[in-house]
Amino acid sequence: MRWQGQRLGETDAGALPGMEHLGGFVQSVTTPEFAGVVFHEVLAKSALNHVPTASGVPFDWTVNPYRGCSHACTYCFARGTHEYLELDAGHDFDSQIVVKVNVAEVLRRELARPTWLHDPVMLGTNTDPYQRAEGRYRLMPGIVSALTDAGTPFSILTKGTLLRRDLPLLVDAAREVPVTIALSIAVFDDVLQRAIEPGTPSTAARLDTVRAAAETGFRVTVFLMPILPHLTDSIPALDDALRRIADAGATRVVFGALHLRPGAKEWFLRWLEREHPELVSSYRGLYPGAAAYASKAYRTWLAKRVRPLLRRHGLGGQAEDDSPRGEGMPGLTQRRSTAATVVTTARGRAAASAPAMLF
């Protein structure tokens, strides 16, 4: 999803590489509280992104208020998208953050069009809407309000504890439209978590966010993804993770093995060579050549290992492989074939229904 729609003006030869045609560019900002991070503020021409059918995901529309992510997860699948801006998928992805400062206003206009069919919208599928930048720019309250006022169901997937700031707003939204919340928590070893996800809140802080959301009435899903071969896939590690997830009040878990897409693959393998050189040959065997996904044999083995542990801890759940495109996935709003009816009911006074139903 390139930012072709940003081309509102003439070429700027002095602009940051990749942003020469961003006619909506406002300014680049650095602040002491975000050391090493540059925010590039732009005026967006569009907010809703239509997901290509070939993507294989169970939703059609997304909103991405940020490009790049200071969470700096070494394995992040979205790293390659930064190369569309002629920025690199490594350090630039972590530190050069593009901010659509007017995204809420543009979204509200798009949702008001007669052609909008109230399809579910997903937040958090590319870069995290509750990354640290959200503490500065506060774009999510406007986005949530625009979606709610337009009668549009939505889902949020995040690693960010800033979600807790907006829980009252989300509770109110869930009285009007279906809202789902999911937390991504992949690594439960504190040392490994700081090494591989250096910009994220701690695992404990994210579990506290699950607990806070559950206490307000949301049925929270945790995405135990990615599970890292030879690092987080042992039975003791998985058992500990699922025990802590259940204790935090989550109801379901979606799990899956590490993806290594172009951009992310090179960056992750560089990290692995530095931190765990003994595992490099194993990973090259699991992800040979240009392969982005672990072998089917490994994914099947992993599912057989996780499913009994889910039952042990009283958690619903599934492997990500269990949801082909066109079917709903726990933690995400369903696609329009079922959601449209729900929206009609909600706008017709389903305000008394419980917040955020996850199936």
Side-chain angles (χ1 to χ4, degrees):
M1 288 171 280
R2 301 170 189 254
W3 285 33
Q4 305 266 354
Q6 293 283 348
R7 296 180 179 175
L8 306 179
E10 299 298 323
T11 297
D12 179 3
L16 187 73
M19 297 185 178
E20 298 91 343
H21 301 289
L22 298 185
F25 178 73
V26 178
Q27 62 180 340
S28 294
V29 178
T30 59
T31 62
E33 63 268 31
F34 293 92
V37 177
V38 180
F39 298 114
H40 303 289
E41 299 177 356
V42 301
L43 296 176
K45 186 176 180 180
S46 63
L48 285 165
N49 305 302
H50 189 258
V51 180
T53 302
S55 67
V57 295
F59 48 86
D60 292 321
W61 297 94
T62 66
V63 173
N64 298 307
Y66 303 101
R67 192 69 170 267
C69 185
S70 59
H71 282 164
C73 300
T74 308
Y75 52 76
C76 182
F77 70 87
R79 286 185 174 277
T81 64
H82 232 45
E83 295 176 349
Y84 294 174
L85 299 177
E86 297 182 16
L87 299 169
D88 71 54
H91 182 66
D92 284 350
F93 180 84
D94 303 337
S95 62
Q96 304 285 333
I97 311 300
V98 178
V99 184
K100 294 182 176 182
V101 292
N102 65 333
V103 64
E105 293 83 356
V106 174
L107 177 63
R108 188 173 289 276
R109 290 199 300 270
E110 291 177 335
L111 296 174
R113 294 171 180 167
T115 53
W116 176 243
L117 298 176
H118 306 284
D119 292 353
V121 172
M122 184 67 194
L123 295 147
T125 59
N126 189 40
T127 56
D128 201 314
Y130 282 107
Q131 61 177 284
R132 289 180 60 219
E134 176 61 16
R136 173 184 175 88
Y137 288 99
R138 300 182 64 88
L139 300 180
M140 283 297 289
I143 291 170
V144 168
S145 295
L147 291 165
T148 304
D149 292 346
T152 297
F154 62 93
S155 292
I156 297 171
L157 172 61
T158 183
K159 296 178 181 178
T161 55
L162 275 166
L163 173 79
R164 296 178 70 172
R165 179 199 68 194
D166 291 346
L167 278 175
L169 180 63
L170 292 167
V171 168
D172 289 343
R175 296 192 179 103
E176 300 294 332
V177 296
V179 178
T180 63
I181 291 177
L183 269 289
S184 174
I185 313 176
V187 183
F188 288 73
D189 175 274
D190 290 343
V191 174
L192 179 60
Q193 186 261 327
R194 287 192 294 269
I196 204 167
E197 304 174 346
T200 60
S202 69
T203 299
R206 277 181 270 174
L207 288 168
D208 286 343
T209 303
V210 171
R211 186 173 293 106
E215 287 174 350
T216 64
F218 287 98
R219 299 180 61 205
V220 183
T221 290
V222 169
F223 278 60
L224 183 61
M225 295 172 60
I227 296 173
L228 307 169
H230 308 301
L231 289 171
T232 64
D233 63 353
S234 70
I235 289 178
L238 294 167
D239 188 54
D240 176 65
L242 293 170
R243 175 187 59 79
R244 294 174 67 184
I245 289 169
D247 289 348
T251 60
R252 297 189 67 93
V253 169
V254 178
F255 64 91
L258 174 69
H259 301 170
L260 288 176
R261 298 179 186 173
K265 189 168 192 173
E266 298 83 352
W267 192 247
F268 178 84
L269 289 177
R270 192 180 308 172
W271 174 87
L272 195 69
E273 289 169 354
R274 184 175 67 250
E275 300 292 334
H276 292 279
E278 75 281 3
L279 297 180
V280 171
S281 61
S282 294
Y283 271 78
R284 293 196 184 279
L286 280 170
Y287 302 88
Y293 298 93
S295 67
K296 178 65 174 177
Y298 175 82
R299 302 199 312 269
T300 300
W301 171 87
L302 181 64
K304 289 180 179 178
R305 175 163 284 201
V306 173
R307 287 191 174 108
L309 297 175
L310 288 172
R311 291 192 293 271
R312 175 186 298 179
H313 294 287
L315 290 162
Q318 66 180 71
E320 62 166 338
D321 291 348
D322 294 341
S323 289
R325 183 171 175 83
E327 295 183 7
M329 177 184 289
L332 308 180
T333 48
Q334 298 181 63
R335 299 176 73 217
R336 191 173 69 88
S337 58
T338 55
T341 301
V342 178
V343 173
T344 300
T345 304
R347 298 301 288 177
R349 282 321 310 156
S353 62
M357 296 302 293
L358 296 183
F359 51 93

